[in-house]
Amino acid sequence: MNETLREIKRFHGHIGPYAIIGYKMGELANKTLGPDPFSKRVVVWTGTTPPLSCIIDGLQMSSGCTLGKGNILVHQKGSPKAQFTSDDGKKIEITLKPSIKDEIDTTVTEENIVSFSEKFYHRTDQELFDILQSV
């Protein structure tokens, strides 16, 4: 397991695909909007019920946006989507592809959760997400 995955495990409590998905969403937002967590906000539609809400922990780790800073707003929609906005008006909306969500929901078990999550960590953004940008 690489160091990033160990950090996710340490922060979140275990390795799971939705925490990985959130982490990758935050990384993508940083590439697009910059790494400064004080110059961006994120709205997530995951709700606060696991496992989908595990996306929030991954987002906090990679984007630096946190519930404590008040720059995360969580909607109770139960959808794996996040929209990041920067202070200069740039936006990126990242939605987990429905086929990927189906794969997670139908394939992950207690026995394969770590190996499955590690594979997801190595998938490309284009494989995992539908991405809309306005810069």
Side-chain angles (χ1 to χ4, degrees):
M1 186 180 302
N2 75 26
E3 184 58 32
T4 300
L5 293 173
R6 281 193 288 276
E7 287 296 316
I8 293 168
K9 180 179 180 182
R10 194 172 5 261
F11 182 83
H12 184 61
H14 71 100
I15 293 293
Y18 285 119
I20 299 296
I21 293 300
Y23 187 87
K24 291 182 72 74
M25 285 176 162
E27 279 189 321
L28 179 56
N30 286 350
K31 289 179 207 169
T32 305
L33 305 177
D36 182 4
F38 293 97
S39 68
K40 61 182 172 271
R41 294 162 309 291
V42 60
V43 177
V44 293
W45 282 265
T46 61
T48 55
T49 303
L52 202 56
S53 65
C54 298
I55 288 173
I56 299 166
D57 278 356
L59 284 172
Q60 290 183 103
M61 281 195 63
S62 57
S63 72
C65 296
T66 65
L67 293 168
K69 284 185 194 85
N71 56 355
I72 293 180
L73 175 63
V74 180
H75 287 296
Q76 299 296 328
K77 301 288 185 188
S79 175
K81 179 170 92 170
Q83 182 182 67
F84 291 84
T85 308
S86 65
D87 287 346
D88 62 0
K90 296 177 185 173
K91 288 183 183 178
I92 183 167
E93 184 175 288
I94 308 164
T95 306
L96 185 63
K97 290 185 177 190
S99 61
I100 299 296
K101 183 177 183 316
D102 287 345
E103 184 179 351
I104 292 169
D105 293 346
T106 60
T107 307
V108 174
T109 65
E110 281 190 40
E111 293 78 29
N112 72 8
I113 191 168
V114 173
S115 63
F116 190 88
S117 298
E118 286 175 338
K119 289 177 189 173
F120 266 69
Y121 177 75
H122 294 290
R123 287 194 180 179
T124 67
D125 295 335
Q126 290 71 30
E127 290 176 291
L128 297 173
F129 305 120
D130 292 319
I131 304 163
L132 296 172
Q133 292 184 57
S134 60
V135 289

